Every structure is written in structure tokens, then in C-alpha cells.
Amino acid sequence: MQLGMIGLGRMGGNIVRRLMRNGHKCVVYDRQSAPARQLAAEGAVAAADLRDLVAKLEAPRAVWVMLPAGEITEHTVTELGSLMQAGDIVIDGGNSFYKDDIRRAASLRVKDIHYVDVGTSGGIWGLDRGYCMMIGGDKATVDHLDPIFATLAPGPSGVAPTPGRVGRDGRAEQGYIHCGPNGAGHFVKMIHNGIEYGLMQAYAEGFDILKNADSEVLPKEQRYALDLPDIAEVWRRGSVIGSWLLDLTAIAFAEDPELTRYSGYVEDSGEGRWTVMAALEEAVPAEVLSAALYTRFRSRKDHSFAEKMLSAMRNKFGGHLEPKGGS
């Protein structure tokens, strides 16, 4: 199958490589010319701009947009809508807000251009591991694109089928699903990333407690100098809390046991905020996911004004003094 790809960063470029390795033809474009030249050397066709990319594709065209959520994706989808023809397909494989998908799909539908949103998980490891995909769009269009999704998906990956799944959608066992109409794919991926925040925070807090088990505030007989890399490694084997995130944590500890290369400044890419917004709209309690998001905000600050107020109030009602040095 032929596919156009816009955005050749860490994920977009490797999606193209995985497709080409399995016989698909790709036309590629990036504002930076170097990634397109590199992929052209590997067998792709490089386009000079969006108009050139559309011209190089055979109808009905399918163009995958792999760009950061927001203005750049909005502009790209809008321009594609002016260049593509009835029956063509625009795929947004980034992390767009699901309500934007609904709006964009409606706008393109007027021109009989199809829109598919794909929540794509796999990161920099996807070239070899494959990509878990959560897909939104009409059934006929999603089915038409199935050769693309089947190639990108990880497959069973050695995971045994879940007992009792007989008769259910077999694509889920391959690592991709059609979640529902436009927006459903990115909605499911949004919650996926919100859960990711919570899982990461749980690991981080647990290991922080382990690291401080030899704190001088503890009685000497209760202090433990624990080996965090070894704990991460042993938990990977037979433990109920084993996961790929723990696998990656063990790699990080093996490379740098004290994590000295990291400052602790933690960004968020938007999906955690949108998850909390969805919880508010649905009146669903989401204490863990909300706290994990707020902790990321906190990681970017020194002591805040609010914390100064807390310290001031404790001092005024109880005479509590801050430790020397403010730590």
C-alpha cells in the first residue's frame, strides 16, 4: 500500500521505515530536508512540500500527519484539505485533542475527504517492537487502511491470548483496535497517557521511599542502604508490578544508578491535562491521575508562594521554624 507521511521525527521516520521494510511505498515530507533525504536513500520518495507530496500519491490518497498537537497539526490538516480530493484520507497519528478530531473530520467530510485519528504508542522503540494503535473513524475507511495498521502493529509479541476472548475482535490481540467514530482513537490514547502519568508517579514515589530508607531521621536499626538498580531488576521477574515502564526504569538505573544526568524537571505533553478535564466533564473521580499531573507542575518550580504561606501560617499558629537552609 502507498502512504504519505508528514513529520519525520523520532516516530514518523521509524513508522516509514517499518512500513517500507514490509513492502509498503512511502512518500515523505518534513520541513527539515535532512530526514526526507535520509529516508529517500532508504527507499522512500521525498516531496518538496505538501502540494508535491499530494501530487506524488495515487488516488485514493492516504496521508499520515505525525506532528505535535496544536497549531502545526491544525495548519497541516487544513492545507491538506485544500489539496486533496474526494475519497482521499487524512490520518492524524499524533496526540491531538479528540474534540479537535471531531471538528476536523466534520470540516473535511464536506469535501468527501475521510479523516482518521490514530492514538499511537510505542515511542522510539516502535521500529522494532511495533506500535500499539487506538483508531477512530468510519469503519470503511479504517478497514481500507488495515494493511498499514497490521504492518505497524506489534503482533502478539509473545503475549498469550486472554482466556475467554473467543469471538471478540482479533485485532486487539495484534496490538490495534478500531475504537469508534472520529475522536474515539485519540480519546482512548488520551486516557492511556493519563494512566501512564499515574503509573510513572507510583514507581517514582516508591523508589524515592526506598532511596531514603537510610535517612538520618530514622532510628539507626531501621535504616537500610538499598540497591535500587537490583530492586528494579528483581521486580521485573515474576512480580505483580512488572511492566515495560519498569523495564525502562531498570535500564535507566543500570546506566546511571543515581540518575545524576536528570534534573527532575518533568514536562507534560497535554494528554494528562485533557484526561483530568474529561474526568471533570464526566464527574468521574480521578485522584491518582490528577495528583500525578500536579506533581509534574510542581517539578518545574522552586518553593512556591503557596508553600511560603504554609510555612508562615505554621510559624504563626505554632511557632514552627523552617529548617536552616530552607530544606
Side-chain angles (χ1 to χ4, degrees):
M1 191 168 179
Q2 188 187 44
L3 181 76
M5 176 64 73
I6 301 170
L8 306 175
R10 289 172 295 183
M11 289 185 69
N14 280 343
I15 285 174
V16 170
R17 291 184 175 93
R18 187 171 174 91
L19 289 171
M20 292 195 301
R21 286 181 182 180
N22 290 275
H24 297 278
K25 306 297 182 183
C26 295
V27 181
V28 300
Y29 170 70
D30 193 282
R31 289 192 300 181
Q32 304 295 323
S33 59
R37 287 199 305 270
Q38 177 60 48
L39 285 167
E42 298 175 33
V45 175
D49 52 31
L50 295 189
R51 183 178 296 276
D52 187 40
L53 180 136
V54 171
K56 284 181 162 67
L57 292 169
E58 300 172 2
R61 303 166 186 84
V63 177
W64 186 304
V65 180
M66 200 66 181
L67 297 170
E71 184 177 350
I72 187 170
T73 294
E74 186 75 29
H75 175 78
T76 300
V77 171
T78 299
E79 186 171 353
L80 286 173
S82 70
L83 295 171
M84 298 175 77
Q85 299 175 351
D88 290 346
I89 306 167
V90 175
I91 307 162
D92 181 359
N95 282 324
S96 289
F97 187 40
Y98 74 99
K99 293 182 181 180
D100 290 336
D101 293 316
I102 296 170
R103 173 178 51 79
R104 291 170 187 157
S107 176
L108 293 173
R109 194 176 300 119
V110 174
K111 305 176 182 180
D112 289 325
I113 297 172
H114 305 287
Y115 182 91
V116 173
D117 51 285
V118 182
T120 312
S121 181
I124 60 175
W125 302 81
L127 175 60
D128 296 317
R129 285 174 55 101
Y131 299 90
C132 174
M133 291 168 290
M134 297 136 270
I135 306 161
D138 68 86
K139 183 180 185 303
T141 304
V142 173
D143 288 349
H144 173 76
L145 295 169
D146 192 74
I148 296 293
F149 299 138
T151 296
L152 294 176
S157 301
V159 179
T162 300
R165 276 193 53 84
V166 176
R168 302 193 67 85
D169 189 346
R171 292 175 295 185
E173 295 172 6
Q174 301 301 311
Y176 68 109
I177 55 170
H178 181 198
C179 299
N182 290 122
H186 278 150
F187 184 84
V188 174
K189 177 58 160 53
M190 176 183 78
I191 305 305
H192 164 284
N193 283 26
I195 292 170
E196 177 185 300
Y197 282 29
L199 291 172
M200 292 172 69
Q201 188 64 30
Y203 281 126
E205 292 179 7
F207 275 96
D208 201 14
I209 296 169
L210 293 171
K211 181 175 177 57
N212 286 281
D214 63 348
S215 171
E216 292 183 358
V217 303
L218 298 170
K220 183 172 292 187
E221 67 274 12
Q222 296 177 17
R223 299 177 195 170
Y224 306 107
L226 301 172
D227 189 312
L228 301 193
D230 281 356
I231 291 172
E233 188 65 25
V234 76
W235 281 353
R236 294 179 61 216
R237 306 173 190 282
S239 165
V240 72
I241 61 169
S243 71
W244 188 40
L245 283 172
L246 185 60
D247 295 345
L248 298 176
T249 300
I251 292 172
F253 275 135
E255 294 173 345
D256 181 5
E258 296 296 325
L259 304 183
T260 54
R261 73 183 70 176
Y262 303 100
S263 69
Y265 185 106
V266 186
E267 278 286 11
D268 72 287
S269 54
E271 298 89 342
R273 303 182 190 208
W274 298 337
T275 296
V276 173
M277 287 167 53
L280 290 170
E281 291 174 353
E282 298 173 12
V284 172
E287 296 95 333
V288 171
L289 307 190
S290 300
L293 175 65
Y294 297 150
T295 300
R296 293 194 176 201
F297 296 162
R298 181 67 188 86
S299 77
R300 303 168 205 166
K301 294 179 177 289
D302 294 324
H303 289 306
S304 68
F305 185 76
E307 288 166 331
K308 292 179 182 179
M309 284 191 61
L310 291 173
S311 184
M313 287 185 280
R314 291 186 76 249
N315 174 256
K316 295 307 179 188
F317 72 66
H320 303 292
L321 301 176
E322 294 181 343
K324 290 183 179 180
S327 59

